[in-house]
């Protein structure tokens, strides 16, 4: 038996090493695509640039195709996990409270950085013809009209129109309905079907990510061609600084302060959760990192399994600090380039929208990008700008995912600390 276990351990180590190598090769391939695309775009060959424009458009449409159903299913399956455990309500209340507090802080920092650094507009030829398609009566709509636009009058239209907020409202209703409906055979069958559909979409996302280097090459070539033609990149550089600066402040300052206020040592928590944070940095998927996050929380952090196995899967979907900042800053940047009037009430409204959208985001690679693109498409903003952002997003996604998993770890640590000795022993078994 000991010999068999030893062989199995060796096999597991080999598999892990191979997986790490594949992830490293994938990252290098993305960087290579970025460099090669930039070089080809700089050549200024018109037929080649037209081909890259076509490829970039195809990828943008594929992103739109898969984004909305993925977000909806992530919300449904997360909320459906709520149920009859007596401790569930207490654990969930702590997790949601910390999630909302940290996510609002992340979005608020993003807004403050956007106002301080003030990235300007890109030249009109970069924005392109998309600006002409922005509805002219948007500025005449009241906030009541915006709210009414989120409330659906049927289940199909929000999916057809890409109205992400309405889709999330439908998904939340379905998820809560599944959580509290009688535990019948029909419910289990329905839930299995939804989970199966979610696995199918995640498989499609993996396939899309497999061929993503082609898309990065095309978008990088587009950007390079525009720079070579005389496009000023100062505004784009400032936008990137706002995103990365906001994430760094949240990561190194705000989240440690939350831990200190709850009587926890942020350095100790970070050290114990560092394996999960490192995996998140390179996989760019908080959902894919979840097994490592759970193992680190229970083995290193010594969190109660009743807490970690409930909080971390939920936080993988709803606790998206980096995503909230990206959605807000990117939405404001795109709308500013589209000619929208960004007064303070509008920006504060979009801060709330960004938090809500981030909570409903799927913890998969480029999930924030998919969601932001859908939001901008839903309001008629020129989503061509999202193609300009895509080459930069490779690095942004790494930083955001690491921040998201670090935030998940902090929420788990604070919830476990608050409820230590207060949970019924049976909860650990049921979890």
């Amino acid at each position: 038996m000991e010999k068999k276990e030893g062989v199995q351990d060796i096999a597991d180590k080999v598999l892990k090493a191979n997986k790490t190598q594949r992830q490293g090769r994938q990252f290098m391939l993305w960087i290579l695509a970025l460099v090669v695309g930039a070089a080809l775009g700089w050549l200024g060959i018109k037929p080649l640039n037209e081909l890259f424009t076509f490829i970039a458009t195809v990828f943008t449409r594929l992103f739109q195709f898969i984004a909305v159903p993925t977000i909806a299913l992530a919300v449904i399956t997360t909320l459906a996990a709520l149920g009859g455990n007596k401790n569930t309500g207490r654990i969930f209340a702590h997790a949601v409270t910390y999630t909302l507090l940290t996510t609002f802080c992340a979005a608020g920092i993003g807004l403050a950085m956007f106002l301080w650094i003030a990235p300007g507009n890109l030249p009109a030829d970069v924005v392109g013809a998309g600006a002409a398609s922005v509805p002219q009566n948007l500025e005449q709509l009241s906030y009541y009209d915006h709210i009414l636009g989120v409330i659906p009058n049927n289940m199909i239209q929000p999916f057809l129109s890409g109205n992400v907020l309405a889709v999330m409202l439908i998904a939340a209703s379905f998820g809560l309905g599944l959580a509290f409906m009688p535990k019948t055979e029909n419910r289990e069958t329905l839930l299995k079907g939804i989970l199966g559909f979610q696995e199918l979409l995640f498989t499609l996302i993996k396939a899309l990510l497999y061929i993503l280097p082609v898309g990065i090459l095309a978008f990088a070539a587009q950007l390079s061609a525009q720079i070579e033609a005389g496009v000023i990149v100062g505004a784009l550089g400032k936008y990137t600084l706002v995103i990365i600066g906001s994430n760094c402040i949240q990561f190194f300052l705000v989240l440690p302060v939350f831990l200190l206020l709850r009587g926890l040592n942020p350095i100790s928590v970070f050290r114990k959760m560092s394996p999960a944070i490192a995996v998140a940095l390179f996989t760019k998927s908080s959902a894919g990192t979840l097994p490592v996050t759970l193992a680190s929380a229970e083995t290193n952090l010594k969190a109660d399994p009743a807490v970690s196995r409930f909080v971390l899967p939920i936080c993988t979907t709803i606790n998206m600090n980096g995503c909230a900042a990206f959605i807000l800053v990117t939405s404001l940047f795109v709308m500013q380039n589209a000619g929208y009037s960004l007064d303070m009430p509008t920006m504060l409204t979009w801060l709330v929208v960004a938090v809500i959208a981030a909570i409903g985001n799927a913890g998969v690679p480029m999930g924030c990008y998919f969601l932001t693109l859908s939001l901008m498409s839903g309001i008629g903003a020129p989503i061509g700008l999202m193609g300009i952002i895509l080459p930069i997003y490779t690095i942004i996604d790494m930083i955001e995912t690491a921040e998201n998993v670090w935030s998940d770890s902090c929420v788990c640590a604070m919830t476990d600390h608050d409820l230590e000795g207060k949970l019924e022993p049976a909860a650990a078994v049921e979890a």
Side-chain angles (χ1 to χ4, degrees), residues 60 124 126-135 330-331 333-340 373 376-377 379-389:
T60 299
V126 176
V127 178
S133 64
V134 178
T330 304
S331 297
F333 184 64
V334 172
M335 288 190 295
Q336 172 183 286
N337 276 272
Y340 285 72
L373 190 147
M376 294 296 94
S377 177
I379 66 170
I383 58 175
L385 277 176
M386 297 298 295
I388 304 298
I389 293 167

Side-chain angles (χ1 to χ4, degrees), residues 117-336:
I117 296 178
N121 289 345
L122 293 170
D125 57 342
V126 176
V127 178
S133 64
V134 178
Q136 299 301 311
N137 64 337
L138 278 179
E139 296 182 358
Q140 300 173 2
L141 296 177
S142 68
Y143 291 114
Y144 291 116
D145 293 324
H146 285 295
I147 294 173
L148 286 175
V150 173
I151 301 174
N153 58 3
N154 65 72
M155 287 191 290
I156 304 299
Q157 185 59 35
F159 289 89
L160 296 178
S161 62
N163 189 333
V164 176
L165 295 181
V167 167
M168 287 197 293
L169 186 60
I170 294 173
S173 302
F174 275 49
L176 291 173
L178 282 168
F180 296 106
M181 71 183 291
K183 306 299 186 290
T184 62
E185 183 178 347
N186 290 335
R187 176 190 181 274
E188 297 304 316
T189 301
L190 178 59
L191 190 55
K192 285 182 179 179
I194 293 173
L195 290 170
F197 190 21
Q198 185 181 45
E199 290 178 9
L200 171 62
L201 287 178
F202 281 2
T203 301
L204 293 177
I205 289 176
K206 289 179 181 178
L208 183 58
L209 294 176
Y210 183 77
I211 60 173
L212 185 59
V214 179
I216 290 180
L217 187 146
F219 284 121
Q222 274 191 323
L223 178 59
S224 179
Q226 290 161 351
I227 294 173
E228 195 274 337
V231 172
I232 300 171
V233 296
L236 198 62
K238 287 185 177 181
Y239 157 81
T240 306
L241 178 60
V242 170
I243 295 287
I244 295 179
S246 301
N247 286 328
C248 288
I249 292 173
Q250 181 76 4
F251 193 107
F252 294 108
L253 182 60
V254 175
L255 290 175
V257 167
F258 269 96
L259 291 172
L260 286 171
L261 291 175
R262 301 310 303 150
L264 293 166
N265 185 338
I267 297 177
S268 175
V269 175
F270 179 83
R271 179 174 55 81
K272 292 173 181 178
M273 298 303 298
S274 59
I277 297 170
V279 171
L281 183 67
F282 292 105
T283 61
K284 300 180 287 296
S285 171
S286 51
T289 309
L290 183 58
V292 183
T293 312
L294 283 167
S296 299
E298 295 179 15
T299 303
N300 301 337
L301 199 60
K302 305 298 182 184
D304 187 338
V307 174
S308 61
R309 297 179 190 180
F310 186 84
V311 170
L312 289 174
I314 288 178
C315 282
T316 295
T317 299
I318 69 173
N319 189 38
M320 296 285 182
N321 287 190
C323 191
F326 176 82
I327 292 173
L328 177 62
V329 173
T330 304
S331 297
L332 294 179
F333 184 64
V334 172
M335 288 190 295
Q336 172 183 286

Side-chain angles (χ1 to χ4, degrees), residues 62-78:
L62 289 175
F63 293 155
Q64 291 175 299
F65 165 75
I66 207 167
V68 175
T70 301
I71 295 163
L73 291 176
V75 174
I76 291 173
T77 53
T78 298

Side-chain angles (χ1 to χ4, degrees), residues 395-417:
I395 303 300
I396 293 175
D397 199 16
M398 295 175 65
I399 298 171
E400 284 181 350
T401 307
E403 181 189 335
N404 288 338
V405 171
W406 172 224
S407 179
D408 295 347
S409 304
C410 293
V411 171
C412 179
M414 291 187 291
T415 301
D416 183 65
H417 178 267

